[in-house]
Amino acid sequence: PRQPAKTLWYDRPQYVYLEFCVEDSTDVKVTFEDQRLVFSCRNADGVEFYNEINLYARINSKDSREKRSDRSITCFMRKWKEKVAWPRITKENIKPAWLSVDFDNWRDWEGDEEVERAMMEQYAEV
C-alpha cells in the first residue's frame, strides 16, 4: 500500500518549492507537467510513497528540477508568471493532511529576487 509523503512548500518570486520529507529515498521519480506534479519513491523500509498535486498555476516544466538528499527530495518549479504570489500550492482550495507550509522558508518576498538567485546558484553548484 502506498501513502503520501509529508510535504512542505513555500513560495518565491520565480520558483515554488516543494519538499517531500522521505529519508533515505530510493526509486525517486518526479514528473513535472504544466499544471501537475507527480512524485513517487520508496524509503529504506520499502514503503512506497506517492503524491500527485494539481498545481495552483502553470509552471515551466522544462525549467523545473528536483534535488535529492538523505532527508528529503526538494523540487523547485519555475513559475510561468514570475513575481506572482501563489496563495496555495494546490489548484483546489483544500489542504490535504500531508501538505504544510514551510514556515522556516516562508516570508514576504517583495524585493527578494537577489536572495533567490543566490539560492538557485547554490543549488546549481551541488
Side-chain angles (χ1 to χ4, degrees):
R2 56 188 193 177
Q3 61 189 63
K6 179 177 184 296
T7 309
L8 298 170
W9 82 281
Y10 60 100
D11 187 39
R12 283 284 188 270
Q14 294 178 313
Y15 289 83
V16 181
Y17 295 81
L18 267 176
E19 184 178 9
F20 296 103
C21 305
V22 181
E23 293 189 9
D24 303 324
S25 55
T26 57
D27 302 337
V28 174
K29 277 203 209 60
V30 179
T31 307
F32 297 104
E33 296 172 10
D34 288 346
Q35 277 205 271
R36 195 167 77 114
L37 176 139
V38 181
F39 165 81
S40 65
C41 76
R42 293 175 187 279
N43 69 5
D45 300 325
V47 176
E48 199 178 329
F49 292 92
Y50 179 88
N51 297 60
E52 191 175 320
I53 298 172
N54 291 314
L55 298 166
Y56 172 76
R58 200 171 160 194
I59 59 165
N60 182 342
S61 52
K62 291 180 183 55
D63 200 12
S64 298
R65 303 272 178 273
E66 79 273 357
K67 174 174 167 270
R68 185 195 163 280
S69 73
D70 293 339
R71 284 183 31 249
S72 63
I73 300 92
T74 303
C75 300
F76 28 109
M77 301 176 289
R78 185 73 176 251
K79 293 177 176 180
W80 194 258
K81 289 193 175 126
E82 295 189 0
K83 301 186 182 138
V84 176
W86 287 27
R88 58 181 190 270
I89 189 89
T90 53
K91 188 176 169 57
E92 309 80 17
N93 194 3
I94 47 165
K95 195 177 98 46
W98 45 265
L99 183 66
S100 318
V101 168
D102 183 346
F103 286 107
D104 291 344
N105 283 301
W106 186 276
R107 61 176 184 274
D108 189 22
W109 45 251
E110 294 300 309
D112 204 21
E113 287 92 19
E114 281 163 39
V115 176
E116 185 177 38
R117 251 200 306 280
M119 275 175 68
M120 288 314 297
E121 279 161 18
Q122 190 185 322
Y123 268 124
E125 284 163 20
V126 171

